[in-house]
């Protein structure tokens, strides 16, 4: 009788497995995302939205995609939440060891190179688009883009994630050299708000961080305070 019950249970489980499941049940957690970073004279401004999706389901509306690597280096994460968190944890570990070895804060370029190493060597398995940004005493504020595939390049500003496809024209028209901190913050917030209004995988609140020689200043723009444009 016990064998009969077990066989019936296995039959039920196998039939359940054959039923198509919605994407929000089986889908991978993705940071969906719009991320951005801009260099200015004294450092960098970084920003991101806060929506995490599983298929079309919003799994988390207040995700923090600005991840601390060292006191002066942060990364913005897009792609698979699990992949980007794992890569960021490994880079943080390597930089902690490196910092002990040299007895000083690591360079932003060193952090970007380690990100590139992990992302390139595991490019077939990872879904990770990273922006590595920060300040060091050798070169000041720097922004490095590490897109899918593991390439690395320094840029005066960088955008990434699914929402970035809506932003290239706006960024090309709006960006100018030698912007102040306040101008960079406005540039980042406006761009993120525009992407969030168009991209279904971006949304929530805007998180920004300003990284300079004095440290990190973090701010959050809530949903009811987001910049608006023609829809005013």
């Amino acid at each position: 009788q016990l064998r009969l019950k077990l066989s019936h249970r296995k039959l039920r489980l196998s039939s359940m497995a054959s039923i198509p499941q919605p994407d929000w049940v089986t889908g991978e957690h993705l940071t969906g995302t719009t991320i951005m970073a801009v260099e200015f004279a004294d450092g960098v401004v970084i920003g991101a939205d806060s929506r995490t999706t599983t298929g079309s389901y919003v799994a988390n509306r207040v995700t923090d995609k600005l991840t601390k690597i060292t006191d002066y280096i942060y990364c913005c994460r897009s792609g698979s939440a699990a992949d980007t968190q794992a890569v960021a944890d490994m880079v943080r570990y390597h930089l902690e060891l490196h910092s002990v070895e040299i007895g000083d804060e690591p360079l932003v370029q060193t952090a970007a190179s380690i990100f590139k190493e992990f992302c390139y060597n595991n490019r077939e398995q990872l879904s990770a688009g990273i922006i590595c940004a920060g300040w060091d005493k050798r070169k000041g504020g720097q922004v490095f883009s590490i897109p899918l595939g593991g390439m690395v390049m320094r840029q005066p500003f960088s955008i990434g994630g699914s929402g970035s496809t809506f932003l290239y024209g706006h960024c090309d028209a709006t960006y100018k050299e030698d912007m102040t901190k306040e101008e960079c913050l406005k540039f980042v917030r406006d761009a993120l708000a525009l992407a969030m209004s168009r991209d279904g995988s971006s949304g929530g609140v805007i998180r920004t961080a300003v990284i300079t020689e004095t440290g990190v200043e973090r701010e959050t723009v809530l949903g009811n305070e987001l910049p608006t444009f023609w829809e005013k």
Side-chain angles (χ1 to χ4, degrees), residues 5 25 28 31 42 53-55 69-70 81 88 94 97 111 125 151 170 179 182 191 231:
K5 283 182 179 177
V25 173
E28 183 180 16
T31 57
D42 298 322
T53 53
T54 306
I69 305 300
T70 72
H94 277 73
L97 290 180
Q125 290 79 38
M151 177 178 68
H170 168 74
M179 286 195 289
E182 288 70 27
E231 65 269 23

Side-chain angles (χ1 to χ4, degrees), residues 7 17 34 191:
S7 63
T34 307

Side-chain angles (χ1 to χ4, degrees), residues 97-132:
L97 290 180
H98 177 64
S99 183
V100 171
E101 287 174 348
I102 64 174
D104 202 354
E105 289 289 333
L107 301 177
V108 183
Q109 187 169 353
T110 303
S113 295
I114 298 173
F115 269 113
K116 181 264 295 179
E117 202 70 20
F118 281 119
C119 291
Y120 180 77
N121 290 340
N122 302 281
R123 62 193 180 279
E124 300 297 335
Q125 290 79 38
L126 292 178
S127 173
I130 305 285
I131 297 174
C132 178

Side-chain angles (χ1 to χ4, degrees), residues 3 19-20 37 42 50 56 68 74 83 94 103 109 117 130 132 140 144 148-149 155 179 187-188 196 222 224 226:
R3 283 180 184 172
I19 298 172
D42 298 322
S50 65
S56 57
K68 180 180 177 181
Y74 274 63
D83 291 353
H94 277 73
Q109 187 169 353
E117 202 70 20
I130 305 285
C132 178
F144 290 90
L148 293 172
Q155 297 178 303
M179 286 195 289
F187 178 44
V188 169
M196 289 159 67
L222 300 178
N224 62 334
L226 294 174

Side-chain angles (χ1 to χ4, degrees), residues 29 51-54 57-61 63:
H29 281 337
R51 178 172 292 180
T52 294
T53 53
T54 306
Y57 174 72
V58 178
N60 188 347
R61 59 191 178 125
T63 312

Side-chain angles (χ1 to χ4, degrees), residues 5-45:
K5 283 182 179 177
L6 287 173
S7 63
H8 283 165
R9 186 167 179 271
K10 284 180 182 176
L11 186 63
R12 281 202 309 273
L13 288 173
S14 63
S15 63
M16 285 174 65
S18 63
I19 298 172
Q21 299 292 319
D23 59 2
W24 54 268
V25 173
T26 59
E28 183 180 16
H29 281 337
L30 301 173
T31 57
T33 302
T34 307
I35 53 175
M36 188 170 183
V38 190
E39 296 180 1
F40 69 102
D42 298 322
V44 295
V45 175

